């Protein structure tokens, strides 16, 4: 009885998880559906959690783990073959699937707080003859290290169009959105402000006159030790693996002159990050510029700028090394984007699982231990 009660609890939790996907349109003819969509989604997620990287893997998981699957759903007709699975995910609307994902994550995490880093990643082997590989733009909660949402675009240059769509999907009130130079656009800044969030945007050559004005002003002020403007400054020194990095963060708080000239939505400060990396007898210098809607001292803005790279280290690297993203050969229609969304779901569930084991080891345990696997989707 205890075992049955435990299984019943898991089943109820699974129903809650699937509720966020119940409005996902199923393009198949209703009278010809052998495998219900909720069963297909549950099969795919559990298989990916347990290490599946292809539709062949998922189909084999379904054959071997049918007893486990029936703890959550009837699976009266068993599970689909790999080609059938591929067809289903290829025809599911990727944007609708991503909206369901955002709804699920919002219920899982509550209102986002702290830094939301937005960045794109190309799924390198998703290319088809005559078509470039897809590019996924993701929003990543740096503190919780969870994917909050993603949007598929045809190529990296389309990030400018994708970022507003991604922002529109999410509730970001009170958060700080960080984006690299591609997202340094007035419309994007306005969207963030309209949604009652703040921004820190990297400033590079794509904002020609703004970047030039900032760079010229900083050079002039540095020559006079910033005596004509209000600034705050902070310096940190990090040493690791024989490398010493010194970062000096300077925040220029007096930007009325810049706002009058460029009328940038919500602009409150300019941030300059100067880095010196020393390895042995070699040193490298780099200066980066950012604009922000925040009114904070350099000691607080410096960590916010650095936390943007969590999307690179804690998401993109994990997707490549743990989920083998760059080796994935799924290519047909919506399937690459939908499979990436499934991997992001698996990433979030494994990341939230209690315990100090690495993500790689937790995924292995999910393949070995049915109860642990069941606990992941009941979380």
């Amino acid at each position: 009885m205890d075992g049955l009660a435990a299984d019943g609890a898991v089943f109820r939790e699974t129903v809650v998880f699937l509720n966020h996907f119940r409005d996902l349109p199923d393009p198949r003819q209703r009278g010809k559906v052998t495998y219900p969509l909720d069963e297909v989604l549950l099969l795919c997620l559990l298989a990916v959690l347990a290490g599946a990287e292809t539709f062949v893997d998922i189909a084999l998981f379904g054959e071997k783990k049918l007893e486990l699957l029936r703890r959550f759903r009837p699976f009266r007709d068993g599970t689909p073959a790999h080609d059938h699975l591929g067809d289903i995910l290829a025809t599911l609307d990727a944007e609708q699937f991503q909206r369901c994902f955002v709804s699920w994550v919002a219920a899982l995490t509550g209102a986002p707080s702290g830094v939301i880093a937005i960045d794109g990643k190309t799924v390198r082997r998703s290319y088809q003859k005559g078509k470039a590989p897809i590019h996924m733009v993701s929003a990543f909660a740096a503190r919780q290290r969870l994917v909050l949402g993603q949007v598929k675009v045809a190529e990296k240059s389309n990030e400018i169009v994708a970022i507003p769509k991604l922002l529109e999907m999410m509730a970001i009130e009170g958060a700080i959105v960080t984006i690299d130079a591609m997202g340094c656009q007035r419309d994007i800044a306005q969207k963030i402000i309209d949604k009652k969030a703040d921004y820190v945007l990297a400033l590079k050559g794509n904002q020609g006159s703004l970047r030039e004005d900032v760079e010229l002003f900083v050079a002039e002020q540095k020559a006079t030790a910033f005596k004509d403007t209000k600034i705050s400054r902070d310096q940190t020194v990090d040493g690791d693996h024989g490398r010493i990095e010194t970062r000096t963060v300077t925040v220029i708080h007096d930007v009325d002159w810049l706002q009058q000239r460029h009328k940038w939505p919500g602009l409150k400060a300019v941030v300059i990050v100067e880095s010196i990396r020393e390895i042995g007898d070699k040193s490298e210098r780099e200066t980066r510029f950012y604009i922000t809607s925040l009114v904070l001292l350099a000691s607080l803005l410096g960590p916010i700028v650095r936390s943007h790279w969590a999307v690179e280290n804690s998401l993109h690297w994990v997707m490549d090394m743990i989920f083998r993203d760059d080796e994935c050969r799924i290519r047909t229609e919506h399937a690459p984007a939908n499979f990436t969304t499934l991997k992001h779901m698996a990433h979030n569930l494994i990341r939230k699982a209690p315990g100090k084991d690495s993500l790689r080891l937790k995924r292995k345990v999910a393949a070995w231990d049915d109860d642990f696997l069941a606990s992941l989707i009941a979380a």
Side-chain angles (χ1 to χ4, degrees):
M1 286 295 290
D2 289 345
L4 288 173
D7 282 1
V10 171
F11 180 84
R12 285 194 296 275
E13 291 293 341
T14 307
V15 170
V16 172
F17 148 68
L18 287 171
N19 276 347
H20 295 284
F21 295 84
R22 66 185 174 188
D23 294 329
L24 181 63
D26 188 342
R28 297 173 293 173
Q29 292 182 18
R30 189 179 298 274
K32 296 182 179 180
V33 172
T34 304
Y35 305 103
L37 188 57
D38 61 343
E39 292 186 357
V40 172
L41 295 178
L42 188 58
L43 162 66
C44 290
L45 179 57
L46 285 168
V48 171
L49 282 165
E53 297 172 358
T54 67
F55 290 130
V56 172
D57 295 351
I58 295 172
L60 186 57
F61 175 91
E63 290 177 20
K64 301 297 183 183
K65 295 288 187 177
L66 195 54
E67 185 177 344
L68 168 66
L69 291 166
R70 284 176 173 160
R71 287 168 57 175
F72 311 112
R73 280 292 185 270
F75 286 90
R76 291 187 182 89
D77 293 297
T79 55
H82 69 90
D83 52 348
H84 197 163
L85 281 167
D87 291 343
I88 294 170
L89 262 72
T91 55
L92 282 180
D93 186 285
E95 186 172 334
Q96 291 296 327
F97 196 29
Q98 288 150 10
R99 288 185 181 279
C100 293
F101 172 88
V102 169
S103 168
W104 168 70
V105 173
L108 190 71
T109 63
S113 60
V115 172
I116 298 175
I118 293 181
D119 196 36
K121 181 182 185 299
T122 300
V123 184
R124 300 193 183 281
R125 294 206 176 185
S126 62
Y127 64 86
Q128 290 179 283
K129 191 173 182 179
K131 289 185 178 181
I134 66 163
H135 192 74
M136 297 293 289
V137 179
S138 301
F140 188 71
R143 182 173 60 81
Q144 299 102 321
R145 294 191 294 174
L146 298 174
V147 184
L148 301 178
Q150 66 278 303
V151 170
K152 180 190 78 168
V153 293
E155 53 190 26
K156 184 174 177 62
S157 60
N158 291 348
E159 282 187 18
I160 295 171
V161 177
I163 291 170
K165 288 183 181 178
L166 182 56
L167 291 169
E168 189 60 44
M169 286 183 185
M170 301 185 298
I172 59 172
E173 183 174 348
I176 302 164
V177 179
T178 64
I179 315 176
D180 66 11
M182 184 71 79
C184 190
Q185 307 288 332
R186 279 185 177 81
D187 290 348
I188 291 173
Q190 188 65 61
K191 173 69 76 174
I192 294 168
I193 296 298
D194 290 346
K195 299 206 74 165
K196 300 181 180 179
D198 284 293
Y199 63 76
V200 177
L201 307 178
L203 182 59
K204 291 187 180 176
N206 63 324
Q207 287 295 330
S209 60
L210 177 63
R211 163 77 186 219
E212 289 168 7
D213 285 352
V214 168
E215 204 164 350
L216 180 60
F217 180 77
V218 169
E220 291 173 348
Q221 292 301 315
K222 283 178 77 173
T224 60
F226 294 100
K227 67 183 180 66
D228 297 325
T229 191
K230 181 182 178 183
I231 69 164
S232 61
R233 181 169 274 176
D234 184 60
Q235 188 173 85
T236 59
V237 180
D238 294 322
D240 193 20
H241 301 294
R243 175 180 62 91
I244 298 173
E245 184 163 1
T246 304
R247 295 183 195 86
T248 303
V249 179
T250 305
V251 179
I252 299 175
H253 300 280
D254 179 10
V255 293
D256 289 347
W257 61 274
L258 191 63
Q259 189 66 302
Q260 287 173 8
R261 182 174 169 85
H262 292 277
K263 296 180 173 56
W264 196 274
L267 178 62
K268 294 292 192 298
V270 169
V271 184
I272 308 106
V273 180
E274 297 168 287
S275 302
I276 303 174
R277 297 182 188 88
E278 299 173 80
I279 304 174
D281 58 354
K282 295 182 179 179
S283 66
E284 298 176 359
R285 293 175 178 267
E286 183 183 17
T287 301
R288 287 166 284 150
F289 298 94
Y290 301 85
I291 57 173
T292 180
S293 62
L294 291 163
V295 182
L296 292 175
L297 296 175
S299 58
L300 298 174
L301 270 165
I304 289 170
V305 169
R306 287 193 67 188
S307 67
H308 176 79
W309 301 110
V311 71
E312 197 68 49
N313 301 327
S314 297
L315 178 61
H316 296 341
W317 187 89
V318 167
M319 296 308 293
D320 282 341
M321 302 307 295
I322 308 299
F323 290 89
R324 319 307 296 177
D325 212 28
D326 273 351
E327 296 176 18
C328 184
R329 291 177 174 270
I330 293 170
R331 298 172 179 172
T332 307
E333 296 181 56
H334 295 298
N338 289 332
F339 203 77
T340 298
T341 300
L342 282 167
K343 286 187 280 192
H344 283 166
M345 292 170 69
H347 166 276
N348 284 359
L349 290 171
I350 294 173
R351 181 76 76 182
K352 283 184 69 68
K356 296 183 179 180
D357 290 337
S358 67
L359 296 185
R360 182 189 66 83
L361 190 54
K362 284 179 181 177
R363 203 174 181 212
K364 285 184 177 294
V365 174
W368 299 331
D369 185 338
D370 286 355
D371 290 332
F372 178 71
L373 178 55
S375 74
L376 292 176
I377 60 168

